[in-house]
Amino acid sequence: MTTPMDEKIEPIYQEVLARNPGEVEFHQAVREVLESLGPVLVKHPEFAEHKIIERICEPERQIIFRVPWVDTNGVVQINRGFRVEFNSALGPYKGGLRFHPSVYLGIIKFLGFEQIFKNSLTGLPIGGGKGGSDFDPKGKTDGEIMRFCQSFITELYRHIGEHTDVPAGDIGVGGREIGFMFGQYKRITNRWEAGVLTGKGLNWGGSLVRTEATGYGAVFFVDEMLKARKDSFDGKICSVSGSGNVSIYTIEKIQQLGGKVVTCSDSNGYIYDEKGIDLELVQQLKEIERRRIKDYLNYRKDAKYVKNGNIWEVPCQVAMPSATQNEINGKDAQTLVKNGCIAVGEGANMPTTPEGVKIFLEAGIAYGPGKAANAGGVATSALEMQQNASRDSWDFAYTEDRLHKIMQNIHKDCFETAEEYGAPGNYVLGANIAGFVKVARAMLAMGVV
Ligand code: NDP
């Protein structure tokens, strides 16, 4: 089920399909943006004349490399590393690294493409990029993780830098991995260059609130959508998927705003806790002990664990998918709407399939797409870069306030753009157009480069 595209844009999309065969997630991400851009070309014919859309769909640079390393048994392992430097019109490429066995070029390109518009929406001077590897960190020792990260950055270091490309974390890459990569980068380059990576530890150049930022930001965004409908989180039953970085801090902020989160999950199953998720327990299990979410039951006897279950069947008023792409399909979206869901905020990137998005939009619920709702992570990374550049460090309250204001501005920008283009309440259209126009104007100003 797809929405028809503007007749000037359809051939551009066909060209993307032909030039990037088999990269289905990339096709999906491009289609979703291009579907929104028809009215922009009417207002700005100069974008078509200068082939801005064609250029934006082609990454500026794509790097693919071998990552050899030795496991604990002395066996040589070979993974593949990627960095797609998609667009640098607004600033150095910026975007996370994902370590997950499902990673291939199509995943990195979808994430890098989304990142261009997300970073533009933050209003901060950052371009879009993304990277990662098909390496699976699950079950690996700290030594193995360190050797892998060292090998990965031993190639990637020549392509990155504080003014060029600034990676951060994503699935499978958190503070531990950033530490190992920063250490090896410093050793190879003989430079203590804080601005080359974000998500650093607090005592060596990191920023307060960066760990919490994506989850907190997503909740701030949903809070704005609710406020626009004269509503709030107070007393709402909420469903959050995943139990990683984004999920944990989404749960924390919802609880602070008076909502009750009743689920969390990992790739094996989900937890339902009618009394409300015990966040301290989840943090102990996931952040400290690196265990599976089913172990939650060992401590909370009243909760339920549903192996391989469908988390979206749990009735909720607010849903915050925070695990991975395409985790909500059309049927799940229907179930959510039927069960009384009034708001969806995407902590994950592209967690809803096109069918699901259509159902949310047609139902008229408040639907915040990932490129707007989860932009708080990269925005706070940019704040980390600002602190590094001025050799300063800001306190928690000040940094969280900056994040809050950025999310309010992103909401306002998407909301007003949707109204301006005759689609009030459609945050998909609002985010795509608002994000695109800033990049397009910068590209236009810089000539054909
Ligand atoms: P983490 O690695 O910390 O956590 C990921 C969570 O999602 C885990 O619970 C994991 O379960 C689950 N998960 C991952 N892949 C799958 C899958 N294929 N099926 C079901 N569950 C899965 O990652 P983050 O929290 O950092 O990232 C989560 C999402 O948020 C991603 O889409 C990411 O791109 C997006 N995001 C992250 C940002 C950040 O700052 N970290 C910024 C913006 C977006 P398991 O352990 O079983 O794999």
Side-chain angles (χ1 to χ4, degrees):
M1 201 193 327
T2 50
T3 310
M5 244 185 238
D6 180 271
E7 59 179 22
K8 280 211 194 79
I9 297 181
E10 180 68 40
I12 304 177
Y13 179 64
Q14 291 306 325
E15 184 72 10
V16 168
L17 294 184
R19 285 168 70 88
N20 304 278
E23 297 175 358
V24 288
E25 296 84 359
F26 179 51
H27 303 163
Q28 184 183 333
V30 170
R31 175 157 198 120
E32 193 247 325
V33 172
L34 265 47
E35 278 176 356
S36 302
L37 297 184
V40 180
L41 293 190
V42 177
K43 260 197 185 173
H44 296 281
E46 69 278 16
F47 292 164
E49 196 187 319
H50 292 266
K51 299 215 173 183
I52 297 292
I53 302 181
E54 289 89 330
R55 280 196 267 157
I56 240 172
C57 291
E58 182 70 18
E60 290 175 13
R61 191 176 298 109
Q62 308 182 55
I63 302 145
I64 304 182
F65 51 100
R66 181 173 68 199
V67 190
W69 57 284
V70 180
D71 73 15
T72 305
N73 301 318
V75 178
V76 176
Q77 302 286 342
I78 296 126
N79 286 98
R80 189 171 280 180
F82 302 89
R83 186 75 185 166
V84 174
E85 297 179 334
F86 227 116
N87 193 295
S88 59
L90 295 180
Y93 310 106
K94 181 90 200 83
L97 297 169
R98 175 177 292 192
F99 291 169
H100 193 272
S102 64
V103 164
Y104 76 108
L105 188 58
I107 295 264
I108 300 300
K109 276 163 75 175
F110 118 63
L111 291 163
F113 185 74
E114 291 255 300
Q115 198 82 45
I116 303 169
F117 309 103
K118 178 188 309 191
N119 293 4
S120 162
L121 284 171
T122 67
L124 298 163
I126 39 180
K130 199 84 185 188
S133 173
D134 58 0
F135 172 73
D136 186 358
K138 251 181 244 142
K140 301 287 190 297
T141 64
D142 280 356
E144 289 175 321
I145 299 280
M146 181 181 77
R147 288 196 295 283
F148 175 81
C149 288
Q150 289 177 341
S151 180
F152 182 85
I153 211 73
T154 297
E155 171 56 35
L156 190 65
Y157 90 94
R158 69 188 87 244
H159 305 289
I160 60 177
E162 63 180 320
H163 301 297
T164 316
D165 184 356
V166 184
D170 190 78
I171 292 178
V173 178
R176 174 181 57 169
E177 292 74 19
I178 295 291
F180 292 147
M181 288 190 265
F182 187 81
Q184 183 75 347
Y185 181 88
K186 178 172 74 64
R187 185 183 185 197
I188 297 173
T189 59
N190 194 29
R191 278 165 66 88
W192 206 102
E193 184 187 332
V196 69
L197 288 166
T198 57
K200 298 181 292 295
L202 292 178
N203 54 354
W204 47 277
S207 170
L208 284 164
V209 191
R210 175 60 191 93
T211 308
E212 295 83 356
T214 308
Y216 278 21
V219 176
F220 289 145
F221 190 89
V222 173
D223 194 40
E224 291 301 308
M225 293 199 299
L226 291 170
K227 275 189 195 145
R229 294 167 177 235
K230 313 254 176 296
D231 206 342
S232 77
F233 265 104
D234 198 28
K236 295 273 183 312
I237 301 294
C238 305
S239 187
V240 174
S241 63
S243 50
N245 171 267
V246 177
S247 317
I248 285 173
Y249 295 97
T250 295
I251 296 172
E252 182 165 87
K253 188 50 78 181
I254 292 176
Q255 291 178 344
Q256 287 173 10
L257 296 186
K260 180 162 138 189
V261 181
V262 292
T263 66
C264 61
S265 66
D266 61 22
S267 53
N268 299 115
Y270 75 83
I271 292 287
Y272 172 66
D273 191 339
E274 197 187 355
K275 293 190 176 143
I277 292 291
D278 178 343
L279 184 61
E280 243 178 74
L281 175 54
V282 175
Q283 286 184 289
Q284 179 68 28
L285 292 173
K286 301 305 286 190
E287 291 186 327
I288 298 171
E289 298 173 17
R290 296 183 190 274
R291 284 160 65 181
R292 305 304 294 163
I293 201 64
K294 78 169 179 336
D295 293 345
Y296 186 94
L297 285 195
N298 300 344
Y299 306 88
R300 296 271 286 200
K301 303 288 177 207
D302 296 343
K304 268 197 338 198
Y305 174 69
V306 186
K307 196 177 166 195
N308 297 326
N310 184 347
I311 193 170
W312 308 117
E313 285 170 3
V314 175
C316 64
Q317 292 157 294
V318 178
M320 301 210 46
S322 308
T324 193
Q325 63 276 359
N326 292 329
E327 53 171 307
I328 298 182
N329 61 26
K331 197 160 160 270
D332 300 329
Q334 258 160 355
T335 308
L336 281 164
V337 171
K338 185 168 72 62
N339 284 340
C341 181
I342 56 158
V344 175
E346 296 184 338
N349 284 309
M350 208 169 73
T352 311
T353 63
E355 292 77 13
V357 173
K358 202 156 182 254
I359 286 161
F360 290 147
L361 292 177
E362 279 171 8
I365 69 167
Y367 167 63
K371 64 170 75 66
N374 71 36
V378 73
T380 309
S381 275
L383 300 183
E384 182 174 332
M385 290 161 73
Q386 282 184 25
Q387 292 169 78
N388 293 153
S390 59
R391 299 187 189 277
D392 196 0
S393 59
W394 308 338
D395 67 23
F396 195 97
Y398 175 76
T399 317
E400 187 183 3
D401 186 53
R402 292 278 306 256
L403 166 66
H404 196 175
K405 292 202 171 93
I406 290 169
M407 295 314 297
Q408 287 174 323
N409 283 336
I410 295 175
H411 175 271
K412 185 166 178 274
D413 208 3
C414 298
F415 186 88
E416 290 178 356
T417 305
E419 297 220 317
E420 183 190 335
Y421 281 84
N426 184 337
Y427 292 94
V428 175
L429 192 112
N432 286 338
I433 295 183
F436 172 81
V437 168
K438 278 181 217 161
V439 181
R441 286 204 170 113
M443 287 175 73
L444 207 59
M446 290 176 195
V448 180
V449 289

